Amino acid sequence: MRAVQITRFGGPEVLDIVDVPEPEAGPGQKVYDVSTAGVNYADTHQIENSYLAAQQLPLVPGAEFVGTPVGGGQRVVGLLDGGGYAEKVAANDVLTWPVPDGVSDEQALSLVLQGTTAWHLLRTSAHLAEGESVVVIAGAGGVGSLAVQLARRWGAGRVIATASSPEKRELAESLGAHATVDPALADGDPKAFTGALREANGGKPVDIVLEMTGGNVFAGSLSALAPFGRLVAYGMAARTETKAVPPGALMQRSRAVIGFWLAHCMARPQMLDAAMTDLLQQVADGQLHPVIGGRYPLSEVRRAHEDLLARRTTGKLVLDPAR
């Protein structure tokens, strides 16, 4: 079968289309014909070997798919520990969910990693309470565009999104953000970014920040927190590790810094079941609107990664393994 494989670490240039053996089902698994594969920002870390878990070569990237069992059956969306950029995958039964007829492949794929991340960032990590202010870093991205909508649905008092272009800021506002901020303000001075976040919140510190950049954005976001505020870190898009936060800096304002990695939910499938059941129903009912960023042929996987790294995209990117 055709698949994308890497045999060396690096950027998009290491993504090669090759023929590999078809997967075989292990205990509790089925083999699926893939109709659509999802692309995530974490995949760009995986192929660099700069992700939270060390990678082994050779590898086929990709952590999510939509497909049907070989021989026929119910269309499902599934979560994988790799191998998704391919025509067929072997997936664990406990990490697949039936896709309702009214939900597209792209919509379903926007939920399985990015949607469940947004859901747990707000519910499990930040414990959003009604009336609290929420800052969503990269509010036009895959996770951010869903987090903006969920925060509004779950009663946030004010939602502030950051986005790197006027078009992306307009999109975030159309999804429900009360105000938007340009993250470029953090490039030279974290204090300027802190000031912009507080200004967007009516001059007051903020309660929750969902942060996936690191570096100055992390520092500026932390300084913007109100007493008992929570910063949830779930990415390092800037490719720079943030300096340690002294305990005294947290105690002075009773602030919290919380880390989140969806991989830990895979060991507790009930956490994913709760999020996916809720999210799929919201999409089917027309209450949640995933932003679809583009469908690329499998043969153009390098371009998909290039566009993602260059911040030319919004919402969910997917691959078509038949092209």
Side-chain angles (χ1 to χ4, degrees):
M1 68 172 186
R2 287 200 320 156
V4 177
Q5 186 183 67
I6 73 166
T7 56
R8 63 198 189 283
F9 294 118
E13 73 282 352
V14 305
L15 296 162
D16 296 319
I17 307 295
V18 299
D19 286 319
V20 299
E22 294 186 3
E24 297 182 0
Q29 292 186 325
K30 293 185 182 69
V31 175
Y32 293 86
D33 289 314
V34 177
S35 56
T36 313
V39 178
N40 292 283
Y41 201 86
D43 301 346
T44 69
H45 283 286
Q46 184 184 32
I47 69 170
E48 293 175 349
N49 201 23
S50 61
Y51 202 43
L52 294 173
Q55 306 297 305
Q56 300 294 320
L57 295 173
L59 68 85
V60 175
E64 57 190 13
F65 76 99
V66 171
T68 54
V70 171
Q74 168 71 49
R75 181 176 59 127
V76 304
V77 61
L79 191 57
L80 307 161
D81 59 3
Y85 291 10
E87 292 180 313
K88 296 180 188 293
V89 297
N92 293 313
D93 295 338
V94 295
L95 294 176
T96 61
W97 298 271
V99 180
D101 289 341
V103 177
S104 70
D105 284 10
E106 288 87 349
Q107 288 174 321
L109 283 168
S110 75
L111 303 179
V112 71
L113 271 177
Q114 293 161 326
T116 54
T117 293
W119 197 96
H120 280 294
L121 289 173
L122 290 165
R123 282 276 199 240
T124 305
S125 296
H127 296 286
L128 170 65
E130 189 169 350
E132 289 190 311
S133 55
V134 178
V135 174
V136 180
I137 305 298
V143 174
S145 60
L146 293 166
V148 166
Q149 296 178 67
L150 291 173
R152 284 297 301 264
R153 282 186 53 76
W154 292 340
R158 191 163 179 82
V159 178
I160 301 156
T162 74
S164 59
S165 71
E167 294 78 16
K168 290 183 178 183
R169 291 191 286 275
E170 183 178 348
L171 172 60
E173 290 174 2
S174 74
L175 296 172
H178 295 93
T180 54
V181 171
D182 187 347
L185 290 169
D187 291 346
D189 183 5
K191 292 181 180 178
F193 187 59
T194 298
L197 293 180
R198 292 188 177 188
E199 181 181 354
N201 195 38
K204 299 179 294 183
V206 301
D207 297 307
I208 293 168
V209 181
L210 309 182
E211 208 291 289
M212 48 72 68
T213 302
N216 284 350
V217 171
F218 178 97
S221 298
L222 181 62
S223 294
L225 286 180
F228 299 105
R230 290 87 73 201
L231 185 154
V232 188
Y234 70 99
M236 293 182 294
R239 262 65 175 180
T240 57
E241 187 65 83
T242 302
K243 293 181 180 179
V245 180
L250 301 178
M251 294 165 59
Q252 283 174 349
R253 290 197 199 141
S254 298
R255 296 176 292 186
V257 176
I258 304 154
F260 178 81
W261 187 21
L262 191 69
H264 292 119
C265 294
M266 293 175 70
R268 305 181 185 188
Q270 69 276 12
M271 294 180 71
L272 293 171
D273 288 341
M276 284 299 292
T277 300
D278 184 21
L279 292 166
L280 283 166
Q281 191 62 56
Q282 288 190 54
V283 174
D285 291 344
Q287 298 172 334
L288 186 66
H289 303 281
V291 176
I292 308 306
R295 186 178 183 92
Y296 296 74
L298 189 71
S299 58
E300 295 187 23
V301 62
R302 292 183 181 181
R303 182 166 64 87
H305 274 236
E306 289 165 356
D307 289 347
L308 189 58
L309 287 166
R311 301 184 182 181
R312 290 191 287 264
T313 66
T314 56
K316 185 65 188 174
L317 304 188
V318 302
L319 299 173
D320 182 348
R323 297 166 57 207

